[in-house]
């Protein structure tokens, strides 16, 4: 199926690795003019080269830190308009006890997961509305549906973003501009491997033991390939997905057992 993104600019944040890289790959294979955004120029360059070799479509990249206002401003100066935005600050999940959550820590996580996305959404959405096409996909995490211990700082910022998006979508939907969020569960990324190593070290068990426990935590009994989430993100950018907006779509192999 032609998803209608050929020739459209797609800015993919956190695009050098993991889920965002997979989304960028799929969008490029569909003919979109992808711009990868992340912190490390060397990783970005290698990712851009790899995707471009496969898709045959030029891939650009821009190195900046989207958790900083100055980093977001730099991106907006370089690319003031886009048709597609995949919002993702590229910040790995970190466990923190409640006693460690000082005001500065709360503020940093709000900057990373709330302001980083909303700053770009508010900057790009007006142009999308003027051109009567826009697809924004935010990458969140499935755990905001069932919050976990020691990651309240991350959940709070992501839930604030979900609330803000739920209000904003009603203003821009008449202009064929949508915002949806993908809430992935266990995805085979460097960030997950790092988290598993940390859990294994803390408990004094092997990496394989923790990995097996995590696999069994969902009905599919596996850890997903990043491309599974990347393809879902690309599909939400399709011209055909104009009537779905403001949704938080869980992709976690059945780990979340709620109905809504």
């Amino acid at each position: 199926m032609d998803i209608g993104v050929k020739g459209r600019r797609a800015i993919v944040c956190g695009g050098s690795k993991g889920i965002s890289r997979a989304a960028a790959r799929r969008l490029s294979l569909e003919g979109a003019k992808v711009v990868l955004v992340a912190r490390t120029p060397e990783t970005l360059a290698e990712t851009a080269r790899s995707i471009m070799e496969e898709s045959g479509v030029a891939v650009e990249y821009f190195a900046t830190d989207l958790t900083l206002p100055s980093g977001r401003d730099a991106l907006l100066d370089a690319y003031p308009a886009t048709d597609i935005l995949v919002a993702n600050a590229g910040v790995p999940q970190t466990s923190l006890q409640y006693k460690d959550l000082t005001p500065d820590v709360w503020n940093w996580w709000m900057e990373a997961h709330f302001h980083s996305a909303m700053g770009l959404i508010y900057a790009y959405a007006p142009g999308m509305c003027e051109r009567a096409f826009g697809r924004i996909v935010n990458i969140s995490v499935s755990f905001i549906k069932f919050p976990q211990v020691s990651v309240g700082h991350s959940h709070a910022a992501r839930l604030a973003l979900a609330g803000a998006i739920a209000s904003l979508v009603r203003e821009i939907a008449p202009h064929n501009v949508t915002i949806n969020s993908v809430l992935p569960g266990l995805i085979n990324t460097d960030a997950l491997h790092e988290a598993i190593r940390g859990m294994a070290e803390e408990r004094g068990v092997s990496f394989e033991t923790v990995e097996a426990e995590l696999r069994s935590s969902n009905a599919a009994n596996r850890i997903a390939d990043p491309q599974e989430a990347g393809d879902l993100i690309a599909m939400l950018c399709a011209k055909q997905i104009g009537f779905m907006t403001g949704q938080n779509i869980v992709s976690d192999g059945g780990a979340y057992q709620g109905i809504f």
Side-chain angles (χ1 to χ4, degrees), residues 134-227:
R135 298 290 183 265
I136 300 170
V137 183
N138 174 57
I139 300 178
S140 185
V141 64
S142 64
F143 287 152
I144 68 168
K145 287 275 193 175
F146 48 120
Q148 306 295 296
V149 175
S150 302
V151 283
H153 50 290
S154 173
H155 296 342
R158 294 179 190 273
L159 284 165
L161 178 61
I165 288 173
S167 177
L168 174 61
V169 294
R170 288 161 175 78
E171 297 184 54
I172 64 178
H175 305 284
N176 190 31
V177 179
T178 66
I179 311 177
N180 291 292
S181 295
V182 170
L183 280 53
L186 296 172
I187 309 292
N188 191 19
T189 63
D190 290 346
L192 178 62
H193 296 167
E194 183 178 338
I196 292 174
R197 280 191 290 270
M199 288 186 282
E201 182 177 341
E202 183 177 337
R203 293 170 51 193
V205 299
S206 69
F207 180 99
E208 291 74 19
T209 296
V210 176
E211 186 179 43
E213 291 172 355
L214 291 176
R215 280 202 204 95
S216 66
S217 69
N218 64 69
N221 195 33
R222 66 185 179 88
I223 295 172
D225 186 275
Q227 199 59 57

Side-chain angles (χ1 to χ4, degrees), residues 26-155:
R26 176 54 58 193
L27 288 167
S28 185
L29 287 169
E30 296 291 340
K33 297 185 291 186
V34 171
V35 179
L36 304 172
V37 183
R39 297 175 183 82
T40 309
E42 296 79 10
T43 310
L44 282 166
E46 174 56 27
T47 301
R49 181 199 61 76
S50 175
I51 293 174
M52 190 161 44
E53 282 185 356
E54 186 176 3
S55 70
V57 180
V59 177
E60 300 178 32
Y61 64 90
F62 188 82
T64 191
D65 186 347
L66 295 174
T67 67
L68 301 174
S70 59
R72 299 192 290 272
D73 289 343
L75 174 62
L76 293 169
D77 286 343
Y79 295 95
T82 190
D83 302 301
I84 295 166
L85 171 66
V86 178
N88 177 18
V91 177
Q93 194 88 307
T94 302
S95 294
L96 292 172
Q97 300 298 317
Y98 75 92
K99 65 181 183 298
D100 299 319
L101 298 179
T102 65
D104 285 345
V105 172
W106 283 113
N107 289 338
W108 189 91
W109 284 92
M110 285 296 293
E111 197 70 49
H113 285 315
F114 180 83
H115 292 296
S116 65
M118 288 307 297
L120 297 181
I121 290 170
Y122 269 89
Y124 286 129
M128 293 177 176
C129 290
E130 289 176 9
R131 296 186 297 275
F133 181 90
R135 298 290 183 265
I136 300 170
V137 183
N138 174 57
I139 300 178
S140 185
V141 64
S142 64
F143 287 152
I144 68 168
K145 287 275 193 175
F146 48 120
Q148 306 295 296
V149 175
S150 302
V151 283
H153 50 290
S154 173
H155 296 342

